[in-house]
């Protein structure tokens, strides 16, 4: 944390990236990020017990990042014991990813209902329409009628990510 600004998420769990995907309302992107984060452990040949621990840590890191972004996580935390039970019973990586997404889908639904600030959804629509092309902050700012610094600060405050990291 420097000068009152949160440092970007440097954990191996990609919690800030997944929280940003949840905030954007993209279940597909959220699921993809969860699966890729879990697959990083699978690629190392870790036993299922280690991947289960990773799934729990991933969910915790994502909920922490979601809280820093002021997303509604209360119901997810209340469901955390049931999530841990589902992870303990999982026999495959697919079941682990499904358990994580079931927990995070609660945040996704709550966020979709509470989208009070129209800037972030508008930003997400613009970015998603332009991917995989390069996207310039100046162009986005002009389109949203906002100053580039305001967009950058909002993303930094909400997710601890720069504009390019968010994209």
């Amino acid at each position: 944390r420097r000068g009152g600004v949160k440092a970007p998420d440097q954990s191996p769990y990609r919690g800030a990236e997944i929280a940003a995907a949840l905030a954007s309302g993209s279940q597909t992107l959220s699921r993809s990020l969860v699966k890729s984060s879990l697959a990083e452990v699978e690629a190392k040949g870790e036993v299922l017990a280690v991947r289960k621990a990773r799934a729990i840590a991933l969910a915790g890191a994502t909920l922490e990042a979601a809280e820093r972004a002021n997303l509604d996580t209360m119901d997810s935390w209340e469901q955390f014991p049931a999530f841990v039970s589902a992870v303990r019973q999982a026999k495959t990586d697919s079941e682990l990813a499904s358990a994580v997404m079931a927990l995070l889908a609660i945040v996704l639904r709550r966020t979709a209902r509470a989208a009070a600030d129209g800037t972030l959804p508008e930003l997400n629509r613009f970015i998603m329409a332009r991917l995989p092309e390069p996207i310039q902050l100046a162009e986005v700012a002009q389109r949203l009628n906002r100053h580039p610094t305001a967009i950058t600060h909002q993303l930094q405050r909400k997710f601890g990510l720069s504009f390019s990291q968010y994209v």
Side-chain angles (χ1 to χ4, degrees):
R1 193 173 174 116
R2 292 183 185 153
V5 177
K6 295 175 191 168
D9 181 20
Q10 299 297 324
S11 79
Y13 303 110
R14 304 172 72 180
E17 291 177 58
I18 298 169
L22 293 170
S24 76
S26 177
Q27 183 168 7
T28 303
L29 180 57
S30 302
R31 179 175 292 279
S32 174
L33 290 168
V34 165
K35 284 184 173 183
S36 68
S37 185
L38 291 175
E40 290 170 9
V41 175
E42 182 181 3
K44 295 178 185 173
E46 302 286 353
V47 294
L48 183 60
V50 173
R51 293 194 307 270
K52 287 179 179 184
R54 170 112 178 166
I56 292 169
L58 170 66
T62 301
L63 290 177
E64 177 187 351
E67 284 187 4
R68 282 187 277 137
N70 296 320
L71 301 180
D72 186 348
T73 61
M74 185 178 2
D75 290 345
S76 292
W77 285 117
E78 289 175 4
Q79 292 300 315
F80 208 82
F83 159 71
V84 171
S85 178
V87 167
R88 290 179 68 196
Q89 295 173 14
K91 297 193 182 348
T92 66
D93 292 322
S94 180
E95 289 175 0
L96 286 175
S98 292
V100 173
M101 281 310 300
L103 181 71
L104 299 180
I106 298 168
V107 175
L108 190 67
R109 287 190 300 273
R110 303 284 294 203
T111 301
R113 281 186 244 143
D117 179 7
T119 302
L120 195 55
E122 190 176 350
L123 171 67
N124 292 328
R125 280 191 298 278
F126 183 76
I127 290 172
M128 296 305 281
R130 295 283 309 278
L131 288 176
E133 301 170 30
I135 300 170
Q136 301 296 316
L137 175 58
E139 179 185 1
V140 172
Q142 182 179 14
R143 174 76 185 260
L144 299 179
N145 199 27
R146 306 236 2 238
H147 194 279
T149 304
I151 294 171
T152 302
H153 286 162
Q154 181 181 17
L155 294 174
Q156 187 66 42
R157 275 192 316 273
K158 281 196 160 291
F159 304 111
L161 298 172
S162 69
F163 176 76
S164 61
Q165 289 172 319
Y166 185 78
V167 170

